Amino acid sequence: MGNGIAHVMALAGYEVLLTDISQDALDRGIETITGNMDRQVSRGKVSAEDRDAAMARISTTLTLADLGATDLVIEAATEKEALKAAIFEDLVPHLAPHTILTSNTSSISITRLASRTDRPEKFMGFHFMNPVPVMQLVELIRGIATDKETFQACHEVVEKLGKTAASAEDFPAFIVNRILMPMINEAVYTLYEGVGNVTSIDTSMKLGTNHPMGPLELADFIGLDTCLAIMNVLHDGLADTKYRPCPLLTKYVEAGWLGRKSGRGFYDYRSGEPVPTR
């Protein structure tokens, strides 16, 4: 999601510094941004001049400390709390006093992440939806210590991006995933219990409830490991059995069938045409 966030920030006029753990990852990110902006130009959504200006605003670095001079940091690492906390701990010594820290986490406690930094009052959740250039919503999540000025600054950024902000309280999975992930998990239970197969479940939800994607197709798009991680956050954080991850979801993740990114999940994508695996 980092490349999508960089994409929309640069188009909105912000200077963007993109970092990752390898040059290959950065090169892939720039390649993705370039391809997505070219697609927007071909569809008349962005002018070629605006694309070129936006791309010129994006630079990259492998050195995390280089982010220290920025005004706003948006962390978009994998949905693993220990990893996110480690990134913030490495970054904090290099930050300017005014720098706002945010996380694109889709489920992890903002208050807990903020407590691992030197500025909990300048820390909040900045949760974009995927794919970032297309989706209009951004969840803004305040931790217990987040001050009004930080929230207002982030809200103004969302407005400049031309997106809509939804304010969420700092409870497990916030708003979108608190509702979406149990639905996906229930769809996996429906498959697990043999109520329907992959095709019938996704077709029923697309045609019966007018969803653009079926829940199993959507799970593959999100990543089954991410879905499982969010369900575990809900289950652990709320201690309610209704959030227990479906054993079939766990099995797919253990098999490395993570969805589109691994080539196989509830659908097999290796032939180029999605084929249901059940």
Side-chain angles (χ1 to χ4, degrees):
M1 292 188 68
N3 69 69
I5 296 169
H7 176 142
V8 299
M9 296 292 281
L11 271 180
Y14 291 103
E15 297 291 330
V16 177
L17 181 58
L18 189 63
T19 188
D20 212 316
I21 59 174
S22 71
Q23 189 60 49
D24 283 347
L26 288 173
D27 291 344
R28 287 195 303 271
I30 294 298
E31 183 180 347
T32 299
I33 296 168
T34 302
N36 288 339
M37 284 199 190
D38 286 347
R39 192 175 300 111
Q40 287 179 313
V41 171
S42 69
R43 293 174 179 175
K45 296 180 180 296
V46 173
S47 70
E49 293 77 12
D50 286 345
R51 174 200 58 197
D52 294 343
M55 291 304 301
R57 294 187 192 103
I58 302 174
S59 55
T60 64
T61 181
L62 288 171
T63 305
L64 193 63
D66 290 347
L67 272 63
T70 60
D71 298 316
L72 171 67
V73 175
I74 304 174
E75 167 274 317
T78 303
E79 195 71 353
K80 296 180 180 177
E81 184 170 348
L83 174 61
K84 293 177 182 291
I87 290 170
F88 288 126
E89 288 176 358
D90 288 346
L91 181 59
V92 158
H94 308 286
L95 295 177
H98 71 276
T99 301
I100 293 173
L101 280 178
T102 70
S103 176
N104 185 54
T105 179
S106 55
S107 63
I108 298 168
S109 167
I110 298 303
T111 297
R112 201 160 59 237
L113 286 174
S115 72
R116 306 291 290 274
T117 76
D118 66 343
R119 60 194 68 207
E121 72 286 349
K122 292 185 179 298
F123 191 107
M124 66 180 298
F126 209 135
H127 181 213
F128 289 85
M129 305 296 117
N130 193 26
V132 180
V134 175
M135 303 296 279
Q136 290 301 303
L137 184 73
V138 180
E139 281 184 314
L140 293 179
I141 308 101
R142 281 177 279 203
I144 195 170
T146 306
D147 63 28
K148 182 178 179 181
E149 292 73 21
T150 297
F151 176 82
Q152 189 57 42
C154 289
H155 197 283
E156 289 172 4
V157 171
V158 174
E159 289 182 338
K160 187 169 180 180
L161 296 178
K163 296 187 182 294
T164 299
S167 179
E169 294 301 316
D170 186 22
F171 288 98
F174 320 130
I175 295 172
V176 172
N177 283 317
R178 173 74 175 266
I179 298 168
L180 174 63
M181 285 303 159
M183 184 198 75
I184 288 175
N185 194 52
E186 194 62 29
V188 182
Y189 266 115
T190 305
L191 179 65
Y192 176 61
E193 294 168 2
V195 179
N197 59 28
V198 169
T199 300
S200 63
I201 291 167
D202 277 352
T203 300
S204 294
M205 293 305 290
K206 284 191 285 188
L207 301 184
T209 61
N210 207 29
H211 288 192
M213 297 173 72
L216 301 176
E217 181 186 5
L218 180 57
D220 275 358
F221 179 77
I222 294 168
L224 304 193
D225 52 341
T226 298
C227 294
L228 179 60
I230 295 171
M231 287 308 302
N232 281 325
V233 167
L234 281 165
H235 190 235
D236 295 344
L238 298 171
D240 192 323
T241 56
K242 73 179 181 180
Y243 299 116
R244 181 172 69 95
C246 179
L248 184 60
L249 178 59
T250 302
K251 183 180 290 187
Y252 270 55
V253 172
E254 289 174 346
W257 294 18
L258 308 180
R260 287 181 177 270
K261 62 186 175 184
S262 67
R264 186 159 50 174
F266 294 113
Y267 293 85
D268 191 327
Y269 302 90
R270 293 174 296 174
S271 68
E273 185 72 24
V275 178
T277 53
R278 282 182 176 243

